[in-house]
Structures are given as C-alpha cells and as structure tokens.
Short mmCIF file of all heavy atoms in Angstrom, two decimals:
data_model
loop_
_atom_site.label_atom_id
_atom_site.label_comp_id
_atom_site.label_asym_id
_atom_site.label_seq_id
_atom_site.Cartn_x
_atom_site.Cartn_y
_atom_site.Cartn_z
N SER A 1213 99.75 89.35 92.68
CA SER A 1213 98.58 88.72 92.06
C SER A 1213 98.80 87.23 91.83
O SER A 1213 97.87 86.43 91.96
CB SER A 1213 98.22 89.42 90.75
OG SER A 1213 99.34 89.46 89.88
N VAL A 1214 100.02 86.83 91.53
CA VAL A 1214 100.33 85.41 91.33
C VAL A 1214 100.21 84.66 92.65
O VAL A 1214 99.64 83.56 92.72
CB VAL A 1214 101.73 85.23 90.72
CG1 VAL A 1214 102.22 83.80 90.89
CG2 VAL A 1214 101.72 85.60 89.25
N VAL A 1215 100.74 85.23 93.72
CA VAL A 1215 100.62 84.60 95.04
C VAL A 1215 99.15 84.46 95.40
O VAL A 1215 98.71 83.42 95.91
CB VAL A 1215 101.37 85.41 96.11
CG1 VAL A 1215 101.17 84.80 97.49
CG2 VAL A 1215 102.86 85.48 95.79
N ASN A 1216 98.38 85.47 95.13
CA ASN A 1216 96.94 85.44 95.39
C ASN A 1216 96.28 84.31 94.61
O ASN A 1216 95.50 83.52 95.15
CB ASN A 1216 96.33 86.79 95.01
CG ASN A 1216 94.86 86.88 95.35
OD1 ASN A 1216 94.34 86.09 96.13
ND2 ASN A 1216 94.19 87.85 94.77
N ALA A 1217 96.61 84.22 93.32
CA ALA A 1217 95.99 83.20 92.46
C ALA A 1217 96.29 81.78 92.93
O ALA A 1217 95.47 80.88 92.75
CB ALA A 1217 96.47 83.38 91.02
N LEU A 1218 97.46 81.57 93.54
CA LEU A 1218 97.89 80.23 93.92
C LEU A 1218 97.64 79.92 95.39
O LEU A 1218 98.18 78.94 95.92
CB LEU A 1218 99.38 80.06 93.58
CG LEU A 1218 99.74 80.28 92.10
CD1 LEU A 1218 101.23 80.12 91.89
CD2 LEU A 1218 98.96 79.32 91.20
N SER A 1219 96.82 80.74 96.04
CA SER A 1219 96.53 80.55 97.46
C SER A 1219 95.06 80.18 97.68
O SER A 1219 94.17 80.67 96.97
CB SER A 1219 96.82 81.85 98.24
OG SER A 1219 98.20 82.17 98.15
N SER A 1220 94.83 79.32 98.67
CA SER A 1220 93.45 79.00 99.05
C SER A 1220 92.75 80.26 99.54
O SER A 1220 91.58 80.47 99.26
CB SER A 1220 93.43 77.93 100.15
OG SER A 1220 93.94 76.71 99.66
N TYR A 1221 93.49 81.05 100.30
CA TYR A 1221 92.97 82.36 100.68
C TYR A 1221 94.11 83.34 100.85
O TYR A 1221 95.25 82.96 101.09
CB TYR A 1221 92.12 82.30 101.97
CG TYR A 1221 92.92 82.16 103.25
CD1 TYR A 1221 93.53 83.27 103.86
CD2 TYR A 1221 93.04 80.93 103.88
CE1 TYR A 1221 94.24 83.15 105.04
CE2 TYR A 1221 93.76 80.80 105.06
CZ TYR A 1221 94.35 81.90 105.64
OH TYR A 1221 95.07 81.78 106.80
N MET A 1222 93.81 84.61 100.69
CA MET A 1222 94.75 85.68 100.98
C MET A 1222 94.00 86.77 101.72
O MET A 1222 92.92 87.19 101.30
CB MET A 1222 95.38 86.24 99.70
CG MET A 1222 96.31 87.44 99.98
SD MET A 1222 97.07 88.14 98.49
CE MET A 1222 98.49 87.06 98.32
N ASP A 1223 94.57 87.21 102.84
CA ASP A 1223 93.97 88.25 103.65
C ASP A 1223 94.93 89.44 103.71
O ASP A 1223 96.13 89.25 103.94
CB ASP A 1223 93.68 87.73 105.05
CG ASP A 1223 92.77 88.66 105.83
OD1 ASP A 1223 91.55 88.59 105.63
OD2 ASP A 1223 93.28 89.48 106.63
N ILE A 1224 94.40 90.66 103.51
CA ILE A 1224 95.25 91.84 103.39
C ILE A 1224 94.77 92.94 104.31
O ILE A 1224 93.56 93.25 104.36
CB ILE A 1224 95.25 92.36 101.93
CG1 ILE A 1224 95.73 91.27 100.97
CG2 ILE A 1224 96.10 93.61 101.80
CD1 ILE A 1224 95.04 91.27 99.66
N GLU A 1225 95.70 93.52 105.05
CA GLU A 1225 95.44 94.72 105.83
C GLU A 1225 96.42 95.80 105.40
O GLU A 1225 97.64 95.54 105.37
CB GLU A 1225 95.57 94.47 107.33
CG GLU A 1225 94.48 93.60 107.92
CD GLU A 1225 94.62 93.45 109.42
OE1 GLU A 1225 95.41 94.21 110.03
OE2 GLU A 1225 93.94 92.57 109.99
N ILE A 1226 95.92 96.97 105.09
CA ILE A 1226 96.76 98.08 104.62
C ILE A 1226 96.57 99.27 105.57
O ILE A 1226 95.44 99.74 105.75
CB ILE A 1226 96.40 98.49 103.18
CG1 ILE A 1226 96.60 97.30 102.23
CG2 ILE A 1226 97.25 99.68 102.73
CD1 ILE A 1226 96.05 97.52 100.83
N ARG A 1227 97.66 99.70 106.18
CA ARG A 1227 97.63 100.85 107.08
C ARG A 1227 98.13 102.07 106.31
O ARG A 1227 99.31 102.14 105.94
CB ARG A 1227 98.51 100.60 108.31
CG ARG A 1227 98.10 99.35 109.09
CD ARG A 1227 98.96 99.14 110.33
NE ARG A 1227 100.37 98.97 110.01
CZ ARG A 1227 100.92 97.81 109.66
NH1 ARG A 1227 100.20 96.71 109.60
NH2 ARG A 1227 102.22 97.75 109.38
N ARG A 1228 97.21 103.00 106.09
CA ARG A 1228 97.57 104.16 105.27
C ARG A 1228 96.59 105.31 105.55
O ARG A 1228 95.39 105.08 105.73
CB ARG A 1228 97.52 103.77 103.78
CG ARG A 1228 98.06 104.82 102.82
CD ARG A 1228 97.97 104.31 101.38
NE ARG A 1228 98.33 105.34 100.43
CZ ARG A 1228 99.52 105.45 99.86
NH1 ARG A 1228 100.48 104.57 100.14
NH2 ARG A 1228 99.78 106.42 99.00
N ASP A 1229 97.13 106.52 105.62
CA ASP A 1229 96.32 107.72 105.81
C ASP A 1229 95.45 107.64 107.06
O ASP A 1229 94.30 108.09 107.08
CB ASP A 1229 95.44 107.97 104.58
CG ASP A 1229 96.26 108.14 103.30
OD1 ASP A 1229 97.37 108.69 103.41
OD2 ASP A 1229 95.80 107.70 102.23
N GLY A 1230 96.01 107.02 108.12
CA GLY A 1230 95.32 106.97 109.41
C GLY A 1230 94.26 105.90 109.51
O GLY A 1230 93.57 105.81 110.55
N GLU A 1231 94.09 105.06 108.50
CA GLU A 1231 93.04 104.05 108.52
C GLU A 1231 93.60 102.67 108.17
O GLU A 1231 94.64 102.54 107.51
CB GLU A 1231 91.94 104.41 107.51
CG GLU A 1231 91.22 105.71 107.84
CD GLU A 1231 90.19 106.07 106.79
OE1 GLU A 1231 90.45 105.81 105.58
OE2 GLU A 1231 89.14 106.62 107.17
N ILE A 1232 92.89 101.62 108.63
CA ILE A 1232 93.24 100.24 108.29
C ILE A 1232 92.22 99.73 107.28
O ILE A 1232 91.02 99.65 107.57
CB ILE A 1232 93.23 99.34 109.54
CG1 ILE A 1232 94.18 99.88 110.61
CG2 ILE A 1232 93.63 97.91 109.15
CD1 ILE A 1232 94.11 99.13 111.92
N HIS A 1233 92.68 99.42 106.08
CA HIS A 1233 91.82 98.95 104.99
C HIS A 1233 91.97 97.43 104.88
O HIS A 1233 93.07 96.88 105.08
CB HIS A 1233 92.21 99.61 103.68
CG HIS A 1233 92.22 101.11 103.77
ND1 HIS A 1233 91.16 101.89 103.34
CD2 HIS A 1233 93.14 101.98 104.25
CE1 HIS A 1233 91.43 103.15 103.54
NE2 HIS A 1233 92.64 103.25 104.10
N HIS A 1234 90.89 96.75 104.52
CA HIS A 1234 90.90 95.29 104.51
C HIS A 1234 90.42 94.74 103.17
O HIS A 1234 89.53 95.29 102.53
CB HIS A 1234 89.99 94.75 105.63
CG HIS A 1234 89.97 93.25 105.70
ND1 HIS A 1234 88.92 92.49 105.21
CD2 HIS A 1234 90.88 92.37 106.20
CE1 HIS A 1234 89.19 91.21 105.42
NE2 HIS A 1234 90.36 91.11 106.01
N ASP A 1235 91.04 93.62 102.76
CA ASP A 1235 90.59 92.89 101.58
C ASP A 1235 90.82 91.40 101.81
O ASP A 1235 91.68 91.00 102.61
CB ASP A 1235 91.33 93.36 100.33
CG ASP A 1235 90.51 93.14 99.05
OD1 ASP A 1235 89.40 92.58 99.16
OD2 ASP A 1235 90.99 93.53 97.97
N HIS A 1236 90.06 90.57 101.10
CA HIS A 1236 90.16 89.12 101.27
C HIS A 1236 89.85 88.43 99.95
O HIS A 1236 88.98 88.89 99.18
CB HIS A 1236 89.18 88.63 102.35
CG HIS A 1236 89.41 87.21 102.77
ND1 HIS A 1236 90.28 86.86 103.78
CD2 HIS A 1236 88.89 86.04 102.30
CE1 HIS A 1236 90.28 85.55 103.91
NE2 HIS A 1236 89.45 85.03 103.03
N TYR A 1237 90.55 87.30 99.69
CA TYR A 1237 90.38 86.55 98.45
C TYR A 1237 90.34 85.05 98.75
O TYR A 1237 90.93 84.57 99.72
CB TYR A 1237 91.54 86.81 97.48
CG TYR A 1237 91.68 88.25 97.04
CD1 TYR A 1237 92.33 89.18 97.84
CD2 TYR A 1237 91.15 88.67 95.82
CE1 TYR A 1237 92.45 90.50 97.44
CE2 TYR A 1237 91.27 89.99 95.41
CZ TYR A 1237 91.93 90.90 96.22
OH TYR A 1237 92.04 92.21 95.82
N ALA A 1238 89.65 84.31 97.90
CA ALA A 1238 89.65 82.86 97.95
C ALA A 1238 90.00 82.34 96.56
O ALA A 1238 89.29 82.63 95.59
CB ALA A 1238 88.28 82.33 98.38
N MET A 1239 91.13 81.65 96.46
CA MET A 1239 91.64 81.14 95.18
C MET A 1239 91.66 82.22 94.11
O MET A 1239 91.28 82.01 92.96
CB MET A 1239 90.82 79.92 94.73
CG MET A 1239 91.12 78.70 95.58
SD MET A 1239 90.29 77.19 95.04
CE MET A 1239 88.65 77.49 95.68
N GLY A 1240 92.11 83.40 94.53
CA GLY A 1240 92.29 84.50 93.60
C GLY A 1240 91.05 85.35 93.37
O GLY A 1240 91.13 86.40 92.73
N LYS A 1241 89.90 84.91 93.88
CA LYS A 1241 88.66 85.65 93.67
C LYS A 1241 88.35 86.50 94.90
O LYS A 1241 88.39 86.01 96.03
CB LYS A 1241 87.49 84.69 93.43
CG LYS A 1241 87.73 83.67 92.31
CD LYS A 1241 87.83 84.32 90.94
CE LYS A 1241 87.96 83.26 89.85
NZ LYS A 1241 88.13 83.86 88.51
N PRO A 1242 88.02 87.79 94.72
CA PRO A 1242 87.72 88.65 95.86
C PRO A 1242 86.43 88.24 96.55
O PRO A 1242 85.44 87.91 95.91
CB PRO A 1242 87.60 90.04 95.24
CG PRO A 1242 87.27 89.81 93.81
CD PRO A 1242 87.93 88.53 93.43
N THR A 1243 86.46 88.24 97.89
CA THR A 1243 85.26 87.92 98.68
C THR A 1243 84.81 89.12 99.52
O THR A 1243 83.72 89.10 100.07
CB THR A 1243 85.54 86.72 99.62
OG1 THR A 1243 86.61 87.06 100.51
CG2 THR A 1243 85.91 85.49 98.82
N GLU A 1244 85.66 90.13 99.62
CA GLU A 1244 85.33 91.33 100.38
C GLU A 1244 84.56 92.30 99.47
O GLU A 1244 84.99 92.59 98.35
CB GLU A 1244 86.61 92.00 100.88
CG GLU A 1244 86.39 93.17 101.83
CD GLU A 1244 85.95 92.73 103.21
OE1 GLU A 1244 86.81 92.38 104.04
OE2 GLU A 1244 84.72 92.75 103.44
N LYS A 1245 83.43 92.76 99.94
CA LYS A 1245 82.64 93.70 99.14
C LYS A 1245 83.24 95.10 99.24
O LYS A 1245 83.58 95.57 100.32
CB LYS A 1245 81.20 93.72 99.63
CG LYS A 1245 80.43 92.44 99.33
CD LYS A 1245 78.97 92.57 99.72
CE LYS A 1245 78.20 91.30 99.37
NZ LYS A 1245 76.76 91.42 99.76
N LEU A 1246 83.37 95.75 98.11
CA LEU A 1246 83.89 97.11 98.08
C LEU A 1246 82.79 98.10 98.48
O LEU A 1246 81.60 97.84 98.31
CB LEU A 1246 84.41 97.45 96.69
CG LEU A 1246 85.57 96.58 96.15
CD1 LEU A 1246 85.95 97.03 94.75
CD2 LEU A 1246 86.77 96.63 97.08
N VAL A 1247 83.23 99.22 99.00
CA VAL A 1247 82.32 100.29 99.38
C VAL A 1247 82.55 101.45 98.42
O VAL A 1247 83.57 102.14 98.50
CB VAL A 1247 82.55 100.74 100.84
CG1 VAL A 1247 81.58 101.86 101.21
CG2 VAL A 1247 82.43 99.56 101.80
N ASN A 1248 81.61 101.63 97.50
CA ASN A 1248 81.77 102.66 96.47
C ASN A 1248 83.11 102.49 95.71
O ASN A 1248 83.79 103.45 95.40
CB ASN A 1248 81.69 104.06 97.07
CG ASN A 1248 80.34 104.35 97.68
OD1 ASN A 1248 79.31 103.95 97.13
ND2 ASN A 1248 80.33 105.02 98.82
N GLY A 1249 83.46 101.23 95.44
CA GLY A 1249 84.68 100.92 94.70
C GLY A 1249 85.94 100.89 95.54
O GLY A 1249 87.02 100.60 95.01
N LEU A 1250 85.84 101.16 96.84
CA LEU A 1250 87.01 101.22 97.72
C LEU A 1250 86.97 100.10 98.75
O LEU A 1250 85.89 99.56 99.08
CB LEU A 1250 87.09 102.57 98.42
CG LEU A 1250 87.22 103.79 97.51
CD1 LEU A 1250 87.20 105.07 98.34
CD2 LEU A 1250 88.49 103.72 96.67
N LEU A 1251 88.14 99.75 99.30
CA LEU A 1251 88.20 98.72 100.33
C LEU A 1251 87.55 99.23 101.61
O LEU A 1251 87.66 100.42 101.95
CB LEU A 1251 89.66 98.35 100.63
CG LEU A 1251 90.51 97.79 99.49
CD1 LEU A 1251 91.90 97.44 99.99
CD2 LEU A 1251 89.86 96.56 98.88
N PRO A 1252 86.88 98.34 102.34
CA PRO A 1252 86.27 98.76 103.60
C PRO A 1252 87.33 99.12 104.64
O PRO A 1252 88.42 98.54 104.65
CB PRO A 1252 85.46 97.53 104.03
CG PRO A 1252 86.12 96.38 103.34
CD PRO A 1252 86.61 96.92 102.03
N VAL A 1253 87.01 100.07 105.51
CA VAL A 1253 87.90 100.49 106.59
C VAL A 1253 87.48 99.75 107.86
O VAL A 1253 86.30 99.79 108.25
CB VAL A 1253 87.84 102.01 106.81
CG1 VAL A 1253 88.69 102.42 108.00
CG2 VAL A 1253 88.29 102.74 105.55
N ILE A 1254 88.44 99.09 108.51
CA ILE A 1254 88.11 98.29 109.70
C ILE A 1254 88.71 98.86 110.98
O ILE A 1254 88.58 98.26 112.05
CB ILE A 1254 88.58 96.83 109.53
CG1 ILE A 1254 90.10 96.75 109.34
CG2 ILE A 1254 87.87 96.16 108.35
CD1 ILE A 1254 90.65 95.33 109.37
N GLY A 1255 89.37 100.02 110.90
CA GLY A 1255 89.93 100.60 112.10
C GLY A 1255 90.76 101.83 111.80
O GLY A 1255 90.97 102.21 110.64
N LYS A 1256 91.21 102.47 112.89
CA LYS A 1256 92.06 103.64 112.79
C LYS A 1256 93.48 103.29 113.27
O LYS A 1256 93.65 102.40 114.11
CB LYS A 1256 91.50 104.78 113.65
CG LYS A 1256 90.09 105.23 113.27
CD LYS A 1256 90.07 105.92 111.91
CE LYS A 1256 88.68 106.45 111.60
NZ LYS A 1256 88.61 107.14 110.28
N THR A 1257 94.49 104.01 112.78
CA THR A 1257 95.88 103.76 113.19
C THR A 1257 96.74 104.96 112.84
O THR A 1257 96.41 105.74 111.94
CB THR A 1257 96.44 102.50 112.50
OG1 THR A 1257 97.77 102.26 112.97
CG2 THR A 1257 96.48 102.69 110.98
N LYS A 1258 97.82 105.10 113.59
CA LYS A 1258 98.81 106.13 113.28
C LYS A 1258 99.97 105.54 112.48
O LYS A 1258 100.86 106.27 112.04
CB LYS A 1258 99.34 106.76 114.58
CG LYS A 1258 98.29 107.55 115.34
CD LYS A 1258 98.90 108.16 116.60
CE LYS A 1258 97.84 108.96 117.37
NZ LYS A 1258 98.41 109.58 118.60
N GLU A 1259 99.97 104.21 112.31
CA GLU A 1259 101.07 103.52 111.63
C GLU A 1259 100.77 103.37 110.14
O GLU A 1259 99.64 103.56 109.69
CB GLU A 1259 101.30 102.14 112.26
CG GLU A 1259 101.68 102.21 113.73
CD GLU A 1259 101.80 100.82 114.34
OE1 GLU A 1259 101.33 99.84 113.71
OE2 GLU A 1259 102.37 100.71 115.44
N THR A 1260 101.81 103.04 109.40
CA THR A 1260 101.64 102.72 107.98
C THR A 1260 102.27 101.36 107.68
O THR A 1260 103.13 100.89 108.43
CB THR A 1260 102.32 103.78 107.08
OG1 THR A 1260 103.73 103.80 107.36
CG2 THR A 1260 101.73 105.16 107.32
#
C-alpha cells in the first residue's frame, strides 16, 4: 500500500484459480471499477 501511495500509477495482475484478475491505481487511488466488489477478470490461465 505504501508503494502504491507513492507511485504515479500501479498496475496489478493476479493469476489465481485459473483466472487473471486486474487492478489499477493512480497516486494511490483506484481507477479500476470493481464488479460486485471483486476485481475484473481479464483472461484465463493455468499459472499462478
């Protein structure tokens, strides 16, 4: 969270449970809209 707060932007991809989840921030503030409170899924994967 500190790295996020001190960055112009932070982009996150999380590979978990067969899906790729995405989040994005600008100066610590989220810019990615949640879907029913969860991160949007942008793809499928077998990796973690």
Side-chain angles (χ1 to χ4, degrees):
S1213 54
V1214 163
V1215 176
N1216 184 17
L1218 302 179
S1219 297
S1220 294
Y1221 75 80
M1222 176 180 275
D1223 194 81
I1224 302 144
E1225 290 184 12
I1226 300 170
R1227 302 182 300 275
R1228 188 180 174 99
D1229 301 326
E1231 297 177 324
I1232 303 174
H1233 306 262
H1234 181 258
D1235 206 357
H1236 191 88
Y1237 298 83
M1239 288 184 282
K1241 307 293 185 183
T1243 60
E1244 188 73 84
K1245 290 185 178 180
L1246 299 179
V1247 180
N1248 297 321
L1250 299 176
L1251 300 182
V1253 176
I1254 61 172
K1256 301 291 184 180
T1257 182
K1258 294 181 180 180
E1259 299 176 346
T1260 61

